[in-house]
Amino acid sequence: METSPNSDLVSKGEVLALIFELFPWLRQFEQATLNDYAKAAFSVGSDRSGCVARSQAMSLLRSRVAAVAQRQGYSAEAASRFQTEIEVAPVLQCGPHLHLLIEPDAFYTHLFSLMGLRAHGRTSYISYACSTVKFVERGRKGPAWLHVDGDAVNVFGLSRSKMIPYSILGRNGCYRFHLQNVDRPGPDSEAISCLRDLLPRGEFQSAAEAIKAANLCLWKRYSDSQVDLLQLDDNDVADLVADHLSDGRSWLRASLIEDRAFAMRLIHCIDQLADTAWRGWLKNSTHFFWGCIEGRLVPLWLDGRVLRSKATEDVRVEFSPPSLVEALKTGRIVPNLLLMFIITSILPGVRVLGGSRHTIYYPLMRWAFCEALRSNGYDTKFLNTLSNDERPGVWGHRIISGPCEPFSLLNAVGREGIATLLEQFGKMSIIDACGPFSSFTQDPLWAELAVAYSSGRVGRQSSQWAFR
């Protein structure tokens, strides 16, 4: 019998048993309120290890955060608050891809983050959203689609041929908000007309820039007026990588780029996972960077001292700080997810919140990184610092199973919308709030991992789980 795409492959109970095994600290929140869990997710102190590599990475992250804040229109004072936030309370929401804030995956995750921030009285919210994603992720889902009043809306008015091959970060055209109702063509509905009035009317070089500008408008209209939002995406990460490669004191420059042996060891450690029960969770889809050709991403492979593509598109970049910086500045290459987490989390010591797959692949990234450190006899103080990180990755995306479309919900609850929703959802138990757990139970990787757990091949004592 064929399995429906929406059928559970593993039960919610089996998934919870595995989660509590891998993250035993979560068991205390099984019946706790969502407010309690959000507070714990955002409860983290700054690093005081005295590790030079970590301090330098945090310094560069602080500087880049301030630069992005000012570019997004914040005052120098507000930029300074963002800097203080990332250093004193280092938490980064990394769950949603770069969607409009009123897309369900994004909206309910940001609502959860606001709960955690409010619990600590914080006024600065920093979120990274992956923009190396295509306009369409599946069906009518992805950054190019939105559902309003039950109708599918083509956000940028693009044909499928203009969506399918491209990532939203590509500067390969002019983008503006068309908001085409593909289910009911004709005059705008009241809801779409309202949304059109809220979104910026200008043209943007990339869909990513358009979405970020729109999100600031939506945040100001609907969100907590006392909390500022700073959005980071892969273009900002590219700038941060360039900062590292331009700084002679950077660990990343000296140990990953100039010492190719470490880079090769890290690649090898990730490849080794294919022969374990963790296979499929973390793979070398590309080596540290993607090649970017007019918005289309191609994998790159480290061949000697050169990053090169194997496809018909010829991308070739010397694996050296000057060449990589130049390629980053011109947009020919983009950091991959592994490199993003290295410079925003592993090196500076920032807790990252993510979704159902992140909860597994991020600890495996940390294991591969630390294994490469240990095998090559690198700085033992740095390795000890990483070993002592407290909950470096936490489940913090799709915690709330949203009952309806966010835009309709916001307009229904009125001017006190966000405050009302925070009150309602915050009182729910985490088990009730997360609903059917479909992002776990319908995922083949979680189903395979549950089988491996039941057979004793996976557990918290697994060697690859040492740096969770």
Side-chain angles (χ1 to χ4, degrees):
M1 182 176 68
E2 291 189 2
T3 301
S4 165
N6 296 319
S7 297
D8 285 350
L9 302 174
V10 60
S11 73
K12 183 175 178 178
E14 289 174 301
V15 169
L16 285 172
L18 178 53
I19 287 175
F20 293 147
E21 163 66 19
L22 297 178
F23 305 97
W25 68 273
L26 276 172
R27 189 176 292 278
Q28 64 185 300
F29 296 101
E30 185 172 6
Q31 294 302 324
T33 67
L34 198 57
N35 269 330
D36 289 337
Y37 180 65
K39 182 178 181 179
F42 279 82
S43 180
V44 60
S46 57
D47 180 82
R48 292 181 172 83
S49 65
C51 175
V52 174
R54 173 152 289 182
S55 297
Q56 175 65 8
M58 176 56 77
S59 176
L60 290 172
L61 179 58
R62 276 175 47 91
S63 296
R64 180 49 50 189
V65 160
V68 174
Q70 292 187 295
R71 188 170 68 241
Q72 293 183 5
Y74 285 105
S75 66
E77 182 181 357
S80 179
R81 288 197 296 270
F82 282 119
Q83 286 185 303
T84 299
E85 182 77 8
I86 198 64
E87 183 169 32
V88 175
V91 181
L92 187 65
Q93 175 59 260
C94 298
H97 291 163
L98 186 54
H99 293 288
L100 287 171
L101 288 180
I102 51 175
E103 193 277 336
D105 267 8
F107 177 80
Y108 290 107
T109 292
H110 293 310
L111 192 68
F112 171 78
S113 294
L114 278 176
M115 286 183 200
L117 293 165
R118 190 174 68 164
H120 293 279
R122 297 176 190 157
T123 59
S124 300
Y125 173 34
I126 305 175
S127 174
Y128 159 81
C130 182
S131 56
T132 55
V133 291
K134 293 184 178 180
F135 284 88
V136 178
E137 294 170 12
R138 63 183 184 278
R140 290 178 173 178
K141 278 185 68 73
W145 290 98
L146 195 64
H147 286 82
V148 178
D149 282 349
D151 294 336
V153 176
N154 184 329
V155 174
F156 300 107
L158 301 174
S159 65
R160 286 185 64 82
S161 65
K162 294 292 185 181
M163 294 188 206
I164 299 299
Y166 299 106
S167 293
I168 61 172
L169 57 75
R171 298 177 181 274
N172 58 325
C174 293
Y175 297 88
R176 65 185 183 90
F177 293 101
H178 284 265
L179 302 183
Q180 292 180 350
N181 188 331
V182 298
D183 288 330
R184 287 189 293 173
D188 285 349
S189 67
E190 182 179 348
I192 291 178
S193 179
C194 175
L195 179 58
R196 192 183 300 281
D197 288 341
L198 290 171
L199 300 182
R201 297 183 180 274
E203 290 190 338
F204 298 85
Q205 289 185 321
S206 72
E209 293 302 318
I211 292 170
K212 288 190 290 184
N215 283 345
L216 287 177
C217 297
L218 292 168
W219 188 266
K220 291 174 184 176
R221 171 64 179 83
Y222 289 109
S223 193
D224 188 336
S225 60
Q226 296 184 352
V227 177
D228 290 329
L229 166 69
L230 183 66
Q231 305 169 91
L232 306 178
D233 77 342
D234 296 283
N235 284 312
D236 302 311
V237 172
D239 289 338
L240 180 56
V241 172
D243 294 342
H244 275 268
L245 301 186
S246 301
D247 189 328
R249 299 168 297 170
S250 165
W251 185 97
L252 188 82
R253 171 175 173 154
S255 299
L256 183 71
I257 307 302
E258 293 180 334
D259 183 357
R260 197 177 63 89
F262 178 83
M264 296 306 296
R265 179 62 184 166
L266 178 53
I267 291 169
H268 176 68
C269 288
I270 293 173
D271 283 339
Q272 285 181 313
L273 291 170
D275 296 324
T276 72
W278 308 94
R279 62 182 178 274
W281 287 96
L282 178 62
K283 296 181 286 188
N284 285 309
S285 301
T286 187
H287 289 171
F288 306 112
F289 299 90
W290 293 99
C292 188
I293 304 171
E294 296 182 341
R296 289 178 293 114
L297 300 184
V298 296
L300 300 177
W301 311 103
L302 188 52
D303 181 9
R305 293 278 177 187
V306 175
L307 276 173
R308 65 172 77 245
S309 62
K310 294 180 181 178
T312 55
E313 300 90 351
D314 184 26
V315 180
R316 186 180 185 280
V317 180
E318 183 183 342
F319 199 67
S320 68
S323 295
L324 292 171
V325 167
E326 190 273 336
L328 287 164
K329 295 295 186 184
T330 58
R332 291 176 58 218
I333 61 173
V334 185
N336 74 344
L337 203 61
L338 171 64
L339 187 52
M340 185 284 292
F341 279 118
I342 288 174
I343 64 167
T344 62
S345 177
I346 295 174
L347 284 177
V350 174
R351 175 181 293 170
V352 282
L353 311 185
S356 55
R357 289 202 170 184
H358 171 274
T359 57
I360 302 297
Y361 73 65
Y362 180 66
L364 296 178
M365 282 182 180
R366 284 175 52 85
W367 167 81
F369 187 90
C370 292
E371 187 69 11
L373 276 179
R374 179 166 40 224
S375 299
N376 281 23
Y378 274 78
D379 185 353
T380 55
K381 185 171 184 179
F382 187 20
L383 186 59
N384 290 338
T385 297
L386 291 166
S387 301
N388 292 325
D389 284 342
E390 180 185 6
R391 302 173 191 169
V394 170
W395 177 43
H397 172 49
R398 291 179 179 155
I399 302 287
I400 301 173
S401 179
C404 61
E405 297 166 14
F407 193 59
S408 302
L409 183 62
L410 285 170
N411 289 322
V413 294
R415 292 187 60 84
E416 299 302 319
I418 288 293
T420 300
L421 295 175
L422 288 171
E423 182 74 16
Q424 290 176 353
F425 285 109
K427 292 178 179 178
M428 297 175 68
S429 75
I430 186 172
I431 296 298
D432 290 338
C434 67
F437 240 47
S438 56
S439 62
F440 293 85
T441 61
Q442 294 173 12
D443 187 339
L445 285 181
W446 271 100
E448 290 176 14
L449 202 62
V451 171
Y453 169 54
S454 64
S455 65
R457 291 181 293 124
V458 160
R460 76 183 73 161
Q461 302 307 319
S462 300
S463 60
Q464 294 87 359
W465 205 242
F467 297 94
R468 64 184 182 277

